[in-house]
Amino acid sequence: MTTEFTGQRPQTANLEDPLYYLSNMDTIVSWVADHRADLLTEREQTRLATFAKLATGPRALLTRMVMRTGELFRADKLHYPELPVPEAEALKLLVQEGWLDNSPELSLDDLFRLFTLAELRPVFGGWLHQQGHPKTLGKAQMRELLAEAFGEPRPLGHWLAEAVGEQAPEVVQLQDMALFDRIRLMFFGNLRQSWTDFVLVELGVQQFEPVPFTPESRAFQHRSEVDSYLQMNQCRERLDQGEPATEVWAEVPGPVDNPWLTSRRDRLLLELGRQAERQGERELALKAWENSGHREARLKQLRLLERMKRFEQAWAIACQWQTAELSDAEAQGLARLLKRLAPKVGADKPEPVDNPTLREFTLTLPKPDTGTVELAALRHLGSDDAPVFYVENTLINALFGLLCWPVIFKPLPGAFFHPFHIGPADLTRDDFVARRQQAFEQRFRLLETGAYRRDILDTFQTKQGIANPFVFWQVLDEALLELALHCIPPGHLDALFRRLLNNIKEHRSGFPDLIRLVPEADDPEQRYEMIEVKGPGDRLQDHQVRWLQFFARQGIPASVCYVRWQDDEASL
């Protein structure tokens, strides 16, 4: 079965509705129930059906609690005036239906999170005084002194009974938070995004590309894969909390036959290796990076081997890795490493990379009262016959995004989880291009036939305003697109697009600030020039240098414009 959603928001909230958050929760629950039911247990399916049948007031209150941090709440602190019934009435029903536990056991830490110092002093003041401590202790000091004597969890009544008697406020605990985390994962495709992200960002004022959702395009095909993701997420949380990497390593799931989950595991092992190295567990760090397929892991492994003076091992791995297809940053890092290792292993130093000379020129301009150095250069360099535009990272990215629109939104497993994606979830994953290589090649063949111009302009018209991770509609102009397509040769676009795909995360930025278009130039390859502008004291960044070197090798016209202010020179 294929379900396709339009770019409009299906059954989502009107943000003027005070219960907008409930409408969005209902959308998520129904989406998962309709599209991921086979990944839920019978009990989970029943609970979601029960949730959908709850009256509006209790369902809204439960949603509010799910969206907040933690699972424990004081009943007297839950104030939501938009609810159609009193909070106490909604809480009572949620307890009866098993969504809340109104007598949970609380640890000392729980108690100190839920209650103020003024509320806790009557509870522990007498005991502390008997131990010889003043009654004016701060909350942190009090907690530290109580930790050993009051280490066991107990019901709230046992903590507060002697101090406040029957006036103790009720504390309730969510009972199905794991289920809500599971459906959040199956909807968003990650646990980084929260319910608030869905309400305030994903459904703001954006239009989305309609993507067909088929059983084959799902990221999770089996419940065990959801379990594996959740286990990896727990491992990452434990690392973030500072737990020893050696303990977390034992809980990392093994390799999985799922490319999308494999990439998640690779990132987890990358971070585990970082933590292990910081904690002095160098052998574990090497093992984690050796087992990680993340593109950053290999260089980290080699640098650590170098620090451990295991030069022969590092050299062997580096020489083997050198034959792989590398991004510019990887190649640069590897070249520096090989240069350092060569004398340590008695090998000849690698031939230095012959980097091309960059085209540069200097402008001395009056310092403007307002505006940036880029705009000052633009006004000076532009003319009626050769207009200059401030485009930075927008133009080439947009041309690529418009040409390759069908490939970017190809419904592959792990790419789209719900109808509200700005772009594919695997966009910056190492295998993003490999999984779509043939489809990209088909689009690039349009550059050979000349059909690309009409295709890009048609897409600009038909997709106007729809979210695309490469297209920034607010700065795009059809006249600029037409002029750029006339001036930039298709062979140059092919080279630019292929480098962009070599490392999307890194190469989407670093493009020159300006582009000068010369539509009447006799030489088709001289109808444009990209210009990076640097003001006084500014210098090129590494990723900008790599782009400029690439331009020089490819014969793409580009230069660096160094701007100096006349007032500054006059004062020298």
Side-chain angles (χ1 to χ4, degrees), residues 347-366:
D348 293 333
K349 284 188 177 182
E351 291 293 325
V353 178
D354 186 18
N355 289 321
T357 302
L358 303 183
R359 294 167 55 181
E360 301 176 345
F361 66 95
T362 300
L363 285 180
T364 302
L365 303 174

Side-chain angles (χ1 to χ4, degrees), residues 38-112:
D38 60 310
L39 304 180
L40 299 169
T41 65
E42 185 176 345
R43 181 194 175 277
E44 289 167 344
Q45 293 181 48
T46 300
R47 290 304 280 166
L48 292 184
T50 303
F51 173 84
K53 293 177 182 177
L54 283 172
T56 299
R59 198 166 80 257
L61 180 58
L62 180 58
T63 297
R64 280 290 197 188
M65 297 169 75
V66 167
M67 291 171 63
R68 286 176 55 174
T69 302
E71 299 181 17
L72 292 165
F73 302 92
R74 283 177 55 162
D76 62 332
K77 300 295 184 181
L78 296 172
H79 300 300
Y80 298 108
E82 78 276 6
L83 298 183
V85 296
E87 290 87 354
E89 182 180 331
L91 282 170
K92 183 178 180 181
L93 190 142
L94 291 173
V95 170
Q96 291 173 352
E97 293 288 333
W99 293 100
L100 301 176
D101 178 6
N102 63 347
S103 58
E105 290 200 337
L106 308 179
S107 68
L108 189 68
D109 285 340
D110 295 330
L111 195 71
F112 270 64

Side-chain angles (χ1 to χ4, degrees), residues 32 34-39 186 212-223 225 258 260 411-417 435:
V32 173
D34 290 343
H35 295 268
R36 307 289 187 262
D38 60 310
L39 304 180
M186 287 191 284
F213 291 88
T214 67
E216 294 75 23
S217 68
R218 300 193 318 175
F220 299 114
Q221 295 294 336
H222 308 285
R223 181 179 176 84
E225 295 173 344
N258 179 315
W260 176 70
L412 297 179
F416 299 96
F417 291 83
R435 297 207 298 158

Side-chain angles (χ1 to χ4, degrees), residues 120-331:
L120 292 169
R121 274 183 176 155
V123 180
F124 299 109
W127 185 88
L128 289 167
H129 186 66
Q130 291 173 9
Q131 304 301 312
H133 301 292
K135 296 181 179 180
T136 56
L137 289 171
K139 200 173 184 180
Q141 293 173 299
M142 184 187 296
R143 163 69 186 83
E144 185 177 351
L145 292 169
L146 296 169
E148 186 175 346
F150 296 89
E152 294 298 320
R154 61 191 72 180
L156 179 64
H158 291 193
W159 285 114
L160 304 185
E162 295 181 5
V164 294
E166 296 181 358
Q167 300 302 313
E170 185 178 44
V171 171
V172 294
Q173 183 176 29
L174 286 168
Q175 293 299 286
D176 287 271
M177 199 60 209
L179 172 58
F180 284 104
D181 283 340
R182 186 176 287 267
I183 66 172
R184 179 162 59 94
L185 168 59
M186 287 191 284
F187 184 84
F188 284 115
N190 63 73
L191 288 171
R192 181 187 68 257
Q193 289 175 277
S194 68
W195 307 102
T196 305
D197 291 325
F198 180 77
V199 172
L200 298 181
V201 179
E202 298 293 346
L203 301 178
V205 293
Q206 186 62 273
Q207 289 182 293
F208 303 90
E209 176 69 8
V211 177
F213 291 88
T214 67
E216 294 75 23
S217 68
R218 300 193 318 175
F220 299 114
Q221 295 294 336
H222 308 285
R223 181 179 176 84
S224 61
E225 295 173 344
V226 183
D227 294 337
S228 180
Y229 186 106
L230 292 169
Q231 186 176 348
M232 287 190 281
N233 188 72
Q234 290 174 356
C235 290
R236 182 56 193 260
E237 288 180 344
R238 291 171 60 188
L239 288 174
D240 291 344
Q241 292 164 5
E243 287 195 34
T246 51
E247 296 179 11
V248 179
W249 169 257
E251 302 300 324
V252 174
V256 291
D257 187 20
N258 179 315
W260 176 70
L261 284 177
T262 296
S263 74
R264 308 288 306 190
R265 185 175 182 272
D266 288 342
R267 281 200 289 273
L268 172 61
L269 292 175
L270 177 72
E271 182 58 28
L272 191 145
R274 286 172 175 157
Q275 296 278 43
E277 185 182 18
R278 292 190 198 108
Q279 295 167 2
E281 299 288 347
R282 287 183 159 189
E283 292 298 336
L284 177 57
L286 290 173
K287 191 172 183 179
W289 289 331
E290 181 183 358
N291 284 275
S292 172
H294 195 283
R295 68 191 315 156
E296 295 179 24
R298 194 66 60 242
L299 200 55
K300 289 185 177 297
Q301 178 193 16
L302 292 172
R303 286 169 176 164
L304 179 54
L305 286 170
E306 182 185 20
R307 288 194 293 273
M308 295 171 70
K309 302 187 184 306
R310 288 158 61 168
F311 304 124
E312 295 287 349
Q313 185 181 357
W315 178 263
I317 295 173
C319 289
Q320 183 180 15
W321 188 40
Q322 193 178 22
T323 63
E325 185 174 344
L326 306 177
S327 71
D328 290 350
E330 289 172 317

